Every structure is written in structure tokens, then in C-alpha cells.
Amino acid sequence: MRFERHQQKKDKKKKRWRNFFLLIFLLVGSGFAYTYYQFKQGETQSLEKVEIKKETYAFNGEVDEYGAMNILLLGSDSRGEDKSRTDTIMVAQYHPDKKSYKIISFMRDMYVTIPGHGENRINTAFAKGGPELLRQTIKENFGIDLQYYSIVDFEGFVQLIDEAFPEGVEVNVEKRMSANIGVTIEPGLQKLDGKHLLGYVRFRQDAVGDFGRVERQQEVMKQIGNQLKSFQTIPKLPKLLGVVSPFITTNMDAGDMLYIGKDYLSKNNRDIETMRIPVDGAWENARMNGASVLLIDTEKNKAAINEFLGR
């Protein structure tokens, strides 16, 4: 009798553990199913709106020796052309150990050494050899190893903003903007939809030119990051990735992007640190082969990058 009671207790305990693991399995499975469903819903939503043509690129990314994840982040405006232009060149860094997020913006008119192609403006590297040649160029001139690349078509930026922020992103527009951006933006504190926000970060037809544009791009990225955190966006993250994924050409998988995005959104007081290259005092205006360029002090800029990245 005592043995039977002991066996019954043992069987009940096994049953409880079996039910517990079954519940965990169902919860995890439901979570994956929900994530996949939301991702596909967002992807379908974008594909129904825009016809998308993607290029494929070779990319021999190298792991950063300091333990960071470095991503070559490019903004592209194909406009149906065979070769798309790259108006935005950034390196985005996420360091898993330090839990830090940093962005370096590279001015596209910097005159640099392009491996195998002599000297030219840095954005020429993409036109001549895609993200791989641009990776080599950044490594040779600034000493940064790039593991991943991500090219975002500007239409994807518009779709992402409109999905994540139905009421728009709040920015303080410092002046009237209209030249070469496809929209007119009046000055003042206001909320901009995706199309107008894209025009805001692309505007460069004033006295400060590309310097002002880079400053606005960094300002908007910080603002988007802050507003995403305030909206408790983690449940929306799979759909947001789905919305923008048709417009992204990258060697990162969705898991990597979810990992980085979830960690950012789940932490309090997570700031994005930014810098611009060239730094002040390490460049001068010049003309090369009839084109306006920025001549840079490579060593000063490389030292500034190392300090910024905490090397």
C-alpha cells in the first residue's frame, strides 16, 4: 500500500512536469507563430503598395576585433535607374557587452583612397563596386571592420515611418524647405509623415549644404529612437521589420535585426551616440578634377573615431 501511494505521488509529479513543459512549448510556439504572422503581414502590406526591384551584392564582411557588431548602413534612391545612388553613408555599431549604440555619418564628398581605383569621393566607391568596395574603402581609410551591410531604399523609410508613427514624427523645422526634395516643408515644430520627413533629412540646398543634412539625419534618428521607446514598440517590432524588409538589401537575417531592436527598445535610457566624419578642424574644401570635394586629415579623423568607439 505504501509503495502504491509513493508510485501515485511520483506519477502525479511526472504529470505536473509534463504539463508544465507542454505549456512552455505551446507558449513559445505561439510566440514564434505570432512573430512570423506579424512579419509576413507587414511584408505583404509593403509589397501591395510598391513594385520593388532588388540587387544582390557580394560582401566579405569582417568581424570587429573589439567585439562590436558594425553595420554599413546606406540610404539609396534608385528611382528606377540601373545603378542606384547612395546619398547616405553611415556605420551603425551595436556592442553587446557595453550595450551601446553608436552611429558615424560619413560625408559623401570626402576625398579618399578607394582600393584599386585611386582617389575620389567616398560615395564613388559604391558606384564602382557596391557595398564591398565601400567596405574596403572605410577599412583602408578609417580602420573600421564591417561585418554587415544594409541598404535601405528611401521608399522603405517612408513606409516604416508611416507604419510606426501614424501621427508623424515630431521635429522642429528650422527653415522653409522645398528645393530638390519633392515636398514643401514650412518652418516650426510639427509632426511629419514619412514623405515629408524624408524630404527633411535629404534637404541640402542652403549655405551649410551636406553638413546640415548630416546633422538633420542624426537628429531624426535619435528622435525616432526616443519616440519608439515611448510607444512600447516591442510587440510591433516584427510587423515593422516586415514592412521595411522588401526595401532592404542586407546580409543580416531577421533574427539579428530583432535581437538588436528588441534589446534597444527593452532598456530604459538607451541613447544613440552620434558623430560626423570628418570632424571639425580635420578637413578643408577643395576642387579635384572640376568637382567640389572635402580634403581630410585621415589620421586626425581615424583618431577621433577610435576615441568615439572607446578603443
Side-chain angles (χ1 to χ4, degrees), residues 41-59:
Q41 187 181 47
E43 184 180 55
T44 302
Q45 180 178 306
S46 288
L47 290 172
E48 287 176 348
K49 291 180 180 179
V50 183
E51 183 179 348
I52 299 163
K53 177 184 175 183
K54 279 190 177 183
E55 295 184 57
T56 56
Y57 298 97
F59 193 78

Side-chain angles (χ1 to χ4, degrees), residues 52-71:
I52 299 163
K53 177 184 175 183
K54 279 190 177 183
E55 295 184 57
T56 56
Y57 298 97
F59 193 78
N60 301 316
E62 297 180 0
V63 177
D64 181 71
E65 63 178 302
Y66 301 96
M69 297 172 67
N70 293 332
I71 307 160

